[in-house]
């Protein structure tokens, strides 16, 4: 049996264990009693631990990044002087009668489809379908 097969076997056993068995295994692997929690949470933690034991844990560089985040209140420190420019572009995609339409939000009141600009998503939906639509409903927008 390979190491991978042994790991899969342990995971299968964990998935079929009763709550008291999960608590006992948790105490064994984590050197302490499991705090009162549901069985799904215990299973997830135990499965992660088994995978970590067989496949290896978090890398040193990832651990350093996590520690950096903790020390800097969640703000990662830049490791290079080149700061990439981040742009926020929203695309609305809809398939209609076998054709895929990709609409770009240029601004809050301007949308672009195939190089043509529209004042609203409803106007874009009308251009696509030829009938009046609520633009948010047509594109499935919930905001």
């Amino acid at each position: 049996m390979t190491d991978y097969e042994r790991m899969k076997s342990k995971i299968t056993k964990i998935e079929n264990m009763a709550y008291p068995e999960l608590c006992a295994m948790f105490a064994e692997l984590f050197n302490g009693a499991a705090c009162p929690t549901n069985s799904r949470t215990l299973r997830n933690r135990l499965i992660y631990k088994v995978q970590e034991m067989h496949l290896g844990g978090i890398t040193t560089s990832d651990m350093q990044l996590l520690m950096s985040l903790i020390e800097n209140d969640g703000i990662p420190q830049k490791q290079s002087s080149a700061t990439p420019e981040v742009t926020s572009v929203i695309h609305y995609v809809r398939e209609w009668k076998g054709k895929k339409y990709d609409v770009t939000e240029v601004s809050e009141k301007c949308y672009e489809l195939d190089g043509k600009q529209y004042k609203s998503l409803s106007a874009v939906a009308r251009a696509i379908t030829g009938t009046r639509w609520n633009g948010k409903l047509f594109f499935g927008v919930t905001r």
Side-chain angles (χ1 to χ4, degrees), residues 1 7-8 28 37 42 57 59 62 66 78 80-81 83 87 89 94 114 122 125 131 140 142:
M1 182 181 274
M7 178 188 72
K8 290 294 284 181
E28 179 185 327
T37 187
L42 281 175
T59 65
D62 285 343
L66 290 172
K78 301 291 181 201
S80 67
S81 59
T83 306
T87 59
V89 178
R94 170 70 194 262
D114 298 330
S122 296
T131 60
T142 59

Side-chain angles (χ1 to χ4, degrees), residues 7-68:
M7 178 188 72
K8 290 294 284 181
S9 173
K10 287 180 185 177
I11 291 172
T12 302
K13 286 179 185 174
I14 291 169
E15 289 173 341
N16 295 312
M17 284 182 178
Y19 185 79
E21 294 171 302
L22 293 170
C23 289
M25 186 175 186
F26 187 94
E28 179 185 327
L29 291 178
F30 289 94
N31 297 323
C35 22
T37 187
N38 64 39
S39 58
R40 183 75 255 163
T41 300
L42 281 175
R43 278 189 184 91
N44 288 340
R45 292 187 67 193
L46 289 169
I47 289 169
Y48 178 85
K49 186 68 169 177
V50 167
Q51 290 172 335
E52 182 182 50
M53 290 178 346
H54 285 270
L55 303 173
I58 190 166
T59 65
T60 304
S61 61
D62 285 343
M63 183 56 81
Q64 289 171 347
L65 174 63
L66 290 172
M67 296 309 291
S68 170

